[in-house]
PDB file of all heavy atoms in Angstrom:
ATOM      1  N   SER A   1      19.563  19.468  -5.086  1.00 51.00           N
ATOM      2  CA  SER A   1      19.856  19.255  -3.672  1.00 51.00           C
ATOM      3  C   SER A   1      20.509  17.897  -3.446  1.00 51.00           C
ATOM      4  O   SER A   1      20.230  16.931  -4.128  1.00 51.00           O
ATOM      5  CB  SER A   1      18.562  19.333  -2.861  1.00 51.00           C
ATOM      6  OG  SER A   1      18.822  18.974  -1.525  1.00 51.00           O
ATOM      7  N   THR A   2      21.390  17.848  -2.468  1.00 58.00           N
ATOM      8  CA  THR A   2      21.981  16.562  -2.096  1.00 58.00           C
ATOM      9  C   THR A   2      21.063  15.797  -1.144  1.00 58.00           C
ATOM     10  O   THR A   2      21.423  14.745  -0.658  1.00 58.00           O
ATOM     11  CB  THR A   2      23.333  16.783  -1.391  1.00 58.00           C
ATOM     12  OG1 THR A   2      23.146  17.654  -0.270  1.00 58.00           O
ATOM     13  CG2 THR A   2      24.339  17.412  -2.347  1.00 58.00           C
ATOM     14  N   SER A   3      19.881  16.319  -0.883  1.00 94.00           N
ATOM     15  CA  SER A   3      19.001  15.694   0.083  1.00 94.00           C
ATOM     16  C   SER A   3      17.935  14.795  -0.534  1.00 94.00           C
ATOM     17  O   SER A   3      17.026  14.342   0.128  1.00 94.00           O
ATOM     18  CB  SER A   3      18.312  16.747   0.962  1.00 94.00           C
ATOM     19  OG  SER A   3      17.477  17.554   0.193  1.00 94.00           O
ATOM     20  N   ILE A   4      18.027  14.532  -1.831  1.00 97.00           N
ATOM     21  CA  ILE A   4      17.116  13.598  -2.486  1.00 97.00           C
ATOM     22  C   ILE A   4      17.937  12.613  -3.318  1.00 97.00           C
ATOM     23  O   ILE A   4      18.842  12.996  -4.055  1.00 97.00           O
ATOM     24  CB  ILE A   4      16.130  14.323  -3.421  1.00 97.00           C
ATOM     25  CG1 ILE A   4      15.220  15.258  -2.624  1.00 97.00           C
ATOM     26  CG2 ILE A   4      15.279  13.321  -4.188  1.00 97.00           C
ATOM     27  CD1 ILE A   4      14.275  16.105  -3.483  1.00 97.00           C
ATOM     28  N   ILE A   5      17.601  11.346  -3.187  1.00 98.00           N
ATOM     29  CA  ILE A   5      18.244  10.306  -3.993  1.00 98.00           C
ATOM     30  C   ILE A   5      17.203   9.247  -4.271  1.00 98.00           C
ATOM     31  O   ILE A   5      16.237   9.091  -3.507  1.00 98.00           O
ATOM     32  CB  ILE A   5      19.491   9.722  -3.304  1.00 98.00           C
ATOM     33  CG1 ILE A   5      20.316   8.920  -4.299  1.00 98.00           C
ATOM     34  CG2 ILE A   5      19.122   8.917  -2.061  1.00 98.00           C
ATOM     35  CD1 ILE A   5      21.761   8.723  -3.890  1.00 98.00           C
ATOM     36  N   TYR A   6      17.359   8.540  -5.373  1.00 98.00           N
ATOM     37  CA  TYR A   6      16.398   7.525  -5.785  1.00 98.00           C
ATOM     38  C   TYR A   6      17.087   6.166  -5.807  1.00 98.00           C
ATOM     39  O   TYR A   6      18.147   5.997  -6.391  1.00 98.00           O
ATOM     40  CB  TYR A   6      15.879   7.835  -7.185  1.00 98.00           C
ATOM     41  CG  TYR A   6      15.047   9.091  -7.289  1.00 98.00           C
ATOM     42  CD1 TYR A   6      15.647  10.360  -7.260  1.00 98.00           C
ATOM     43  CD2 TYR A   6      13.662   9.049  -7.433  1.00 98.00           C
ATOM     44  CE1 TYR A   6      14.888  11.518  -7.354  1.00 98.00           C
ATOM     45  CE2 TYR A   6      12.906  10.203  -7.536  1.00 98.00           C
ATOM     46  CZ  TYR A   6      13.533  11.440  -7.503  1.00 98.00           C
ATOM     47  OH  TYR A   6      12.780  12.598  -7.619  1.00 98.00           O
ATOM     48  N   PHE A   7      16.446   5.174  -5.150  1.00 98.00           N
ATOM     49  CA  PHE A   7      16.965   3.813  -5.106  1.00 98.00           C
ATOM     50  C   PHE A   7      15.999   2.854  -5.777  1.00 98.00           C
ATOM     51  O   PHE A   7      14.815   2.768  -5.396  1.00 98.00           O
ATOM     52  CB  PHE A   7      17.158   3.370  -3.656  1.00 98.00           C
ATOM     53  CG  PHE A   7      18.278   4.055  -2.932  1.00 98.00           C
ATOM     54  CD1 PHE A   7      18.014   4.917  -1.878  1.00 98.00           C
ATOM     55  CD2 PHE A   7      19.604   3.831  -3.278  1.00 98.00           C
ATOM     56  CE1 PHE A   7      19.029   5.556  -1.187  1.00 98.00           C
ATOM     57  CE2 PHE A   7      20.647   4.450  -2.599  1.00 98.00           C
ATOM     58  CZ  PHE A   7      20.359   5.313  -1.552  1.00 98.00           C
ATOM     59  N   ALA A   8      16.506   2.097  -6.724  1.00 98.00           N
ATOM     60  CA  ALA A   8      15.765   0.965  -7.311  1.00 98.00           C
ATOM     61  C   ALA A   8      16.368  -0.314  -6.751  1.00 98.00           C
ATOM     62  O   ALA A   8      17.581  -0.535  -6.901  1.00 98.00           O
ATOM     63  CB  ALA A   8      15.851   0.989  -8.835  1.00 98.00           C
ATOM     64  N   GLY A   9      15.517  -1.123  -6.113  1.00 98.00           N
ATOM     65  CA  GLY A   9      16.073  -2.299  -5.436  1.00 98.00           C
ATOM     66  C   GLY A   9      15.114  -3.489  -5.515  1.00 98.00           C
ATOM     67  O   GLY A   9      14.957  -4.210  -4.553  1.00 98.00           O
ATOM     68  N   GLY A  10      14.482  -3.686  -6.667  1.00 96.00           N
ATOM     69  CA  GLY A  10      13.467  -4.722  -6.760  1.00 96.00           C
ATOM     70  C   GLY A  10      12.105  -4.136  -6.444  1.00 96.00           C
ATOM     71  O   GLY A  10      11.863  -2.943  -6.666  1.00 96.00           O
ATOM     72  N   CYS A  11      11.230  -4.930  -5.902  1.00 96.00           N
ATOM     73  CA  CYS A  11       9.889  -4.460  -5.546  1.00 96.00           C
ATOM     74  C   CYS A  11       9.953  -3.239  -4.622  1.00 96.00           C
ATOM     75  O   CYS A  11      10.600  -3.306  -3.573  1.00 96.00           O
ATOM     76  CB  CYS A  11       9.105  -5.589  -4.877  1.00 96.00           C
ATOM     77  SG  CYS A  11       7.439  -5.115  -4.368  1.00 96.00           S
ATOM     78  N   PHE A  12       9.284  -2.162  -5.022  1.00 97.00           N
ATOM     79  CA  PHE A  12       9.449  -0.932  -4.239  1.00 97.00           C
ATOM     80  C   PHE A  12       8.709  -0.928  -2.923  1.00 97.00           C
ATOM     81  O   PHE A  12       8.967  -0.095  -2.077  1.00 97.00           O
ATOM     82  CB  PHE A  12       9.109   0.316  -5.066  1.00 97.00           C
ATOM     83  CG  PHE A  12       7.804   0.342  -5.826  1.00 97.00           C
ATOM     84  CD1 PHE A  12       6.732  -0.477  -5.499  1.00 97.00           C
ATOM     85  CD2 PHE A  12       7.655   1.250  -6.878  1.00 97.00           C
ATOM     86  CE1 PHE A  12       5.539  -0.416  -6.204  1.00 97.00           C
ATOM     87  CE2 PHE A  12       6.464   1.333  -7.591  1.00 97.00           C
ATOM     88  CZ  PHE A  12       5.398   0.493  -7.263  1.00 97.00           C
ATOM     89  N   TRP A  13       7.824  -1.879  -2.694  1.00 96.00           N
ATOM     90  CA  TRP A  13       7.104  -1.913  -1.414  1.00 96.00           C
ATOM     91  C   TRP A  13       8.077  -2.087  -0.254  1.00 96.00           C
ATOM     92  O   TRP A  13       8.034  -1.347   0.737  1.00 96.00           O
ATOM     93  CB  TRP A  13       6.107  -3.057  -1.376  1.00 96.00           C
ATOM     94  CG  TRP A  13       4.990  -2.963  -2.373  1.00 96.00           C
ATOM     95  CD1 TRP A  13       4.533  -1.821  -2.998  1.00 96.00           C
ATOM     96  CD2 TRP A  13       4.157  -4.041  -2.830  1.00 96.00           C
ATOM     97  NE1 TRP A  13       3.479  -2.129  -3.824  1.00 96.00           N
ATOM     98  CE2 TRP A  13       3.232  -3.483  -3.748  1.00 96.00           C
ATOM     99  CE3 TRP A  13       4.126  -5.396  -2.576  1.00 96.00           C
ATOM    100  CZ2 TRP A  13       2.273  -4.254  -4.417  1.00 96.00           C
ATOM    101  CZ3 TRP A  13       3.169  -6.183  -3.210  1.00 96.00           C
ATOM    102  CH2 TRP A  13       2.258  -5.608  -4.121  1.00 96.00           C
ATOM    103  N   GLY A  14       8.916  -3.091  -0.356  1.00 96.00           N
ATOM    104  CA  GLY A  14       9.879  -3.385   0.726  1.00 96.00           C
ATOM    105  C   GLY A  14      10.954  -2.326   0.844  1.00 96.00           C
ATOM    106  O   GLY A  14      11.362  -1.950   1.946  1.00 96.00           O
ATOM    107  N   THR A  15      11.461  -1.853  -0.290  1.00 98.00           N
ATOM    108  CA  THR A  15      12.529  -0.870  -0.274  1.00 98.00           C
ATOM    109  C   THR A  15      12.062   0.433   0.389  1.00 98.00           C
ATOM    110  O   THR A  15      12.787   1.043   1.175  1.00 98.00           O
ATOM    111  CB  THR A  15      13.036  -0.587  -1.704  1.00 98.00           C
ATOM    112  OG1 THR A  15      13.433  -1.833  -2.308  1.00 98.00           O
ATOM    113  CG2 THR A  15      14.217   0.368  -1.685  1.00 98.00           C
ATOM    114  N   GLU A  16      10.827   0.854   0.089  1.00 98.00           N
ATOM    115  CA  GLU A  16      10.303   2.048   0.742  1.00 98.00           C
ATOM    116  C   GLU A  16      10.197   1.838   2.255  1.00 98.00           C
ATOM    117  O   GLU A  16      10.622   2.680   3.045  1.00 98.00           O
ATOM    118  CB  GLU A  16       8.941   2.451   0.197  1.00 98.00           C
ATOM    119  CG  GLU A  16       8.424   3.725   0.872  1.00 98.00           C
ATOM    120  CD  GLU A  16       6.979   4.074   0.542  1.00 98.00           C
ATOM    121  OE1 GLU A  16       6.153   3.141   0.337  1.00 98.00           O
ATOM    122  OE2 GLU A  16       6.668   5.266   0.529  1.00 98.00           O
ATOM    123  N   HIS A  17       9.621   0.720   2.665  1.00 97.00           N
ATOM    124  CA  HIS A  17       9.436   0.469   4.092  1.00 97.00           C
ATOM    125  C   HIS A  17      10.769   0.440   4.807  1.00 97.00           C
ATOM    126  O   HIS A  17      10.906   0.940   5.945  1.00 97.00           O
ATOM    127  CB  HIS A  17       8.672  -0.851   4.299  1.00 97.00           C
ATOM    128  CG  HIS A  17       8.200  -1.051   5.701  1.00 97.00           C
ATOM    129  ND1 HIS A  17       7.207  -0.289   6.278  1.00 97.00           N
ATOM    130  CD2 HIS A  17       8.603  -1.940   6.650  1.00 97.00           C
ATOM    131  CE1 HIS A  17       7.000  -0.681   7.518  1.00 97.00           C
ATOM    132  NE2 HIS A  17       7.832  -1.685   7.784  1.00 97.00           N
ATOM    133  N   PHE A  18      11.773  -0.103   4.169  1.00 98.00           N
ATOM    134  CA  PHE A  18      13.119  -0.168   4.750  1.00 98.00           C
ATOM    135  C   PHE A  18      13.668   1.208   5.016  1.00 98.00           C
ATOM    136  O   PHE A  18      14.106   1.538   6.123  1.00 98.00           O
ATOM    137  CB  PHE A  18      14.020  -0.952   3.797  1.00 98.00           C
ATOM    138  CG  PHE A  18      15.446  -1.047   4.233  1.00 98.00           C
ATOM    139  CD1 PHE A  18      15.844  -2.001   5.167  1.00 98.00           C
ATOM    140  CD2 PHE A  18      16.420  -0.215   3.696  1.00 98.00           C
ATOM    141  CE1 PHE A  18      17.181  -2.075   5.578  1.00 98.00           C
ATOM    142  CE2 PHE A  18      17.736  -0.289   4.073  1.00 98.00           C
ATOM    143  CZ  PHE A  18      18.117  -1.239   5.027  1.00 98.00           C
ATOM    144  N   PHE A  19      13.613   2.090   4.022  1.00 98.00           N
ATOM    145  CA  PHE A  19      14.190   3.426   4.200  1.00 98.00           C
ATOM    146  C   PHE A  19      13.363   4.305   5.111  1.00 98.00           C
ATOM    147  O   PHE A  19      13.896   5.239   5.719  1.00 98.00           O
ATOM    148  CB  PHE A  19      14.414   4.085   2.844  1.00 98.00           C
ATOM    149  CG  PHE A  19      15.667   3.618   2.163  1.00 98.00           C
ATOM    150  CD1 PHE A  19      15.610   2.775   1.062  1.00 98.00           C
ATOM    151  CD2 PHE A  19      16.920   3.986   2.652  1.00 98.00           C
ATOM    152  CE1 PHE A  19      16.773   2.337   0.458  1.00 98.00           C
ATOM    153  CE2 PHE A  19      18.085   3.571   2.054  1.00 98.00           C
ATOM    154  CZ  PHE A  19      18.008   2.738   0.945  1.00 98.00           C
ATOM    155  N   LYS A  20      12.077   4.002   5.258  1.00 98.00           N
ATOM    156  CA  LYS A  20      11.238   4.770   6.199  1.00 98.00           C
ATOM    157  C   LYS A  20      11.726   4.588   7.630  1.00 98.00           C
ATOM    158  O   LYS A  20      11.429   5.416   8.502  1.00 98.00           O
ATOM    159  CB  LYS A  20       9.785   4.329   6.095  1.00 98.00           C
ATOM    160  CG  LYS A  20       9.068   4.860   4.862  1.00 98.00           C
ATOM    161  CD  LYS A  20       7.633   4.318   4.780  1.00 98.00           C
ATOM    162  CE  LYS A  20       6.728   4.988   5.750  1.00 98.00           C
ATOM    163  NZ  LYS A  20       6.462   6.403   5.397  1.00 98.00           N
ATOM    164  N   GLN A  21      12.442   3.507   7.902  1.00 97.00           N
ATOM    165  CA  GLN A  21      12.899   3.234   9.255  1.00 97.00           C
ATOM    166  C   GLN A  21      14.106   4.087   9.670  1.00 97.00           C
ATOM    167  O   GLN A  21      14.421   4.222  10.852  1.00 97.00           O
ATOM    168  CB  GLN A  21      13.292   1.758   9.396  1.00 97.00           C
ATOM    169  CG  GLN A  21      12.280   0.756   8.915  1.00 97.00           C
ATOM    170  CD  GLN A  21      10.915   0.964   9.498  1.00 97.00           C
ATOM    171  OE1 GLN A  21      10.745   1.082  10.703  1.00 97.00           O
ATOM    172  NE2 GLN A  21       9.897   1.003   8.621  1.00 97.00           N
ATOM    173  N   VAL A  22      14.795   4.637   8.692  1.00 98.00           N
ATOM    174  CA  VAL A  22      16.100   5.279   8.965  1.00 98.00           C
ATOM    175  C   VAL A  22      15.899   6.679   9.537  1.00 98.00           C
ATOM    176  O   VAL A  22      15.236   7.531   8.937  1.00 98.00           O
ATOM    177  CB  VAL A  22      16.935   5.364   7.676  1.00 98.00           C
ATOM    178  CG1 VAL A  22      18.301   6.007   7.980  1.00 98.00           C
ATOM    179  CG2 VAL A  22      17.132   3.981   7.060  1.00 98.00           C
ATOM    180  N   GLU A  23      16.504   6.921  10.694  1.00 96.00           N
ATOM    181  CA  GLU A  23      16.447   8.246  11.267  1.00 96.00           C
ATOM    182  C   GLU A  23      17.184   9.236  10.371  1.00 96.00           C
ATOM    183  O   GLU A  23      18.309   8.976   9.944  1.00 96.00           O
ATOM    184  CB  GLU A  23      17.104   8.235  12.670  1.00 96.00           C
ATOM    185  CG  GLU A  23      17.009   9.552  13.375  1.00 96.00           C
ATOM    186  CD  GLU A  23      16.974   9.439  14.891  1.00 96.00           C
ATOM    187  OE1 GLU A  23      16.749   8.332  15.398  1.00 96.00           O
ATOM    188  OE2 GLU A  23      17.170  10.467  15.512  1.00 96.00           O
ATOM    189  N   GLY A  24      16.569  10.336  10.065  1.00 96.00           N
ATOM    190  CA  GLY A  24      17.168  11.310   9.160  1.00 96.00           C
ATOM    191  C   GLY A  24      16.532  11.289   7.794  1.00 96.00           C
ATOM    192  O   GLY A  24      16.685  12.235   7.026  1.00 96.00           O
ATOM    193  N   VAL A  25      15.832  10.204   7.467  1.00 97.00           N
ATOM    194  CA  VAL A  25      15.035  10.158   6.242  1.00 97.00           C
ATOM    195  C   VAL A  25      13.731  10.855   6.541  1.00 97.00           C
ATOM    196  O   VAL A  25      12.990  10.450   7.450  1.00 97.00           O
ATOM    197  CB  VAL A  25      14.779   8.708   5.764  1.00 97.00           C
ATOM    198  CG1 VAL A  25      13.733   8.663   4.664  1.00 97.00           C
ATOM    199  CG2 VAL A  25      16.097   8.093   5.275  1.00 97.00           C
ATOM    200  N   THR A  26      13.434  11.910   5.815  1.00 96.00           N
ATOM    201  CA  THR A  26      12.276  12.746   6.132  1.00 96.00           C
ATOM    202  C   THR A  26      11.037  12.426   5.326  1.00 96.00           C
ATOM    203  O   THR A  26       9.922  12.767   5.708  1.00 96.00           O
ATOM    204  CB  THR A  26      12.608  14.242   5.946  1.00 96.00           C
ATOM    205  OG1 THR A  26      13.024  14.457   4.585  1.00 96.00           O
ATOM    206  CG2 THR A  26      13.749  14.649   6.881  1.00 96.00           C
ATOM    207  N   ALA A  27      11.225  11.746   4.170  1.00 97.00           N
ATOM    208  CA  ALA A  27      10.082  11.366   3.338  1.00 97.00           C
ATOM    209  C   ALA A  27      10.490  10.291   2.348  1.00 97.00           C
ATOM    210  O   ALA A  27      11.646  10.210   1.952  1.00 97.00           O
ATOM    211  CB  ALA A  27       9.532  12.580   2.572  1.00 97.00           C
ATOM    212  N   THR A  28       9.539   9.432   2.024  1.00 98.00           N
ATOM    213  CA  THR A  28       9.743   8.427   0.978  1.00 98.00           C
ATOM    214  C   THR A  28       8.537   8.431   0.040  1.00 98.00           C
ATOM    215  O   THR A  28       7.440   8.825   0.441  1.00 98.00           O
ATOM    216  CB  THR A  28       9.920   7.012   1.563  1.00 98.00           C
ATOM    217  OG1 THR A  28       8.735   6.659   2.303  1.00 98.00           O
ATOM    218  CG2 THR A  28      11.148   6.919   2.465  1.00 98.00           C
ATOM    219  N   GLU A  29       8.778   7.962  -1.168  1.00 98.00           N
ATOM    220  CA  GLU A  29       7.699   7.874  -2.142  1.00 98.00           C
ATOM    221  C   GLU A  29       8.094   6.829  -3.169  1.00 98.00           C
ATOM    222  O   GLU A  29       9.261   6.737  -3.544  1.00 98.00           O
ATOM    223  CB  GLU A  29       7.505   9.215  -2.839  1.00 98.00           C
ATOM    224  CG  GLU A  29       6.414   9.237  -3.892  1.00 98.00           C
ATOM    225  CD  GLU A  29       6.319  10.587  -4.555  1.00 98.00           C
ATOM    226  OE1 GLU A  29       5.696  11.501  -3.959  1.00 98.00           O
ATOM    227  OE2 GLU A  29       6.897  10.756  -5.650  1.00 98.00           O
ATOM    228  N   VAL A  30       7.129   6.016  -3.629  1.00 98.00           N
ATOM    229  CA  VAL A  30       7.446   5.016  -4.637  1.00 98.00           C
ATOM    230  C   VAL A  30       6.952   5.495  -6.009  1.00 98.00           C
ATOM    231  O   VAL A  30       5.938   6.169  -6.128  1.00 98.00           O
ATOM    232  CB  VAL A  30       6.845   3.639  -4.301  1.00 98.00           C
ATOM    233  CG1 VAL A  30       7.413   3.110  -2.986  1.00 98.00           C
ATOM    234  CG2 VAL A  30       5.335   3.660  -4.250  1.00 98.00           C
ATOM    235  N   GLY A  31       7.743   5.145  -7.019  1.00 98.00           N
ATOM    236  CA  GLY A  31       7.390   5.549  -8.362  1.00 98.00           C
ATOM    237  C   GLY A  31       8.187   4.785  -9.393  1.00 98.00           C
ATOM    238  O   GLY A  31       8.803   3.765  -9.114  1.00 98.00           O
ATOM    239  N   PHE A  32       8.192   5.314 -10.594  1.00 98.00           N
ATOM    240  CA  PHE A  32       8.852   4.671 -11.745  1.00 98.00           C
ATOM    241  C   PHE A  32       9.892   5.615 -12.305  1.00 98.00           C
ATOM    242  O   PHE A  32       9.590   6.785 -12.593  1.00 98.00           O
ATOM    243  CB  PHE A  32       7.811   4.328 -12.802  1.00 98.00           C
ATOM    244  CG  PHE A  32       6.596   3.632 -12.233  1.00 98.00           C
ATOM    245  CD1 PHE A  32       5.349   4.235 -12.245  1.00 98.00           C
ATOM    246  CD2 PHE A  32       6.694   2.365 -11.636  1.00 98.00           C
ATOM    247  CE1 PHE A  32       4.225   3.623 -11.716  1.00 98.00           C
ATOM    248  CE2 PHE A  32       5.585   1.743 -11.092  1.00 98.00           C
ATOM    249  CZ  PHE A  32       4.344   2.358 -11.144  1.00 98.00           C
ATOM    250  N   ALA A  33      11.109   5.131 -12.502  1.00 98.00           N
ATOM    251  CA  ALA A  33      12.210   5.990 -12.893  1.00 98.00           C
ATOM    252  C   ALA A  33      12.875   5.576 -14.190  1.00 98.00           C
ATOM    253  O   ALA A  33      13.006   4.379 -14.473  1.00 98.00           O
ATOM    254  CB  ALA A  33      13.269   6.029 -11.768  1.00 98.00           C
TER     255      ALA A  33
END
């Protein structure tokens, strides 16, 4: 699906919180890739 993408941007705490704010983002999860 084109509806999932993974972003590594340093500490995942802040990156997750950032993307949670975006309208149209339906879910976030932190992990190791």
Side-chain angles (χ1 to χ4, degrees):
S1 173
T2 56
S3 64
I4 297 175
I5 194 160
Y6 294 75
F7 290 112
C11 178
F12 50 20
W13 296 340
T15 304
E16 181 189 32
H17 192 68
F18 178 81
F19 279 107
K20 284 177 75 70
Q21 310 307 310
V22 181
E23 183 152 345
V25 168
T26 59
T28 60
E29 179 182 279
V30 299
F32 312 114

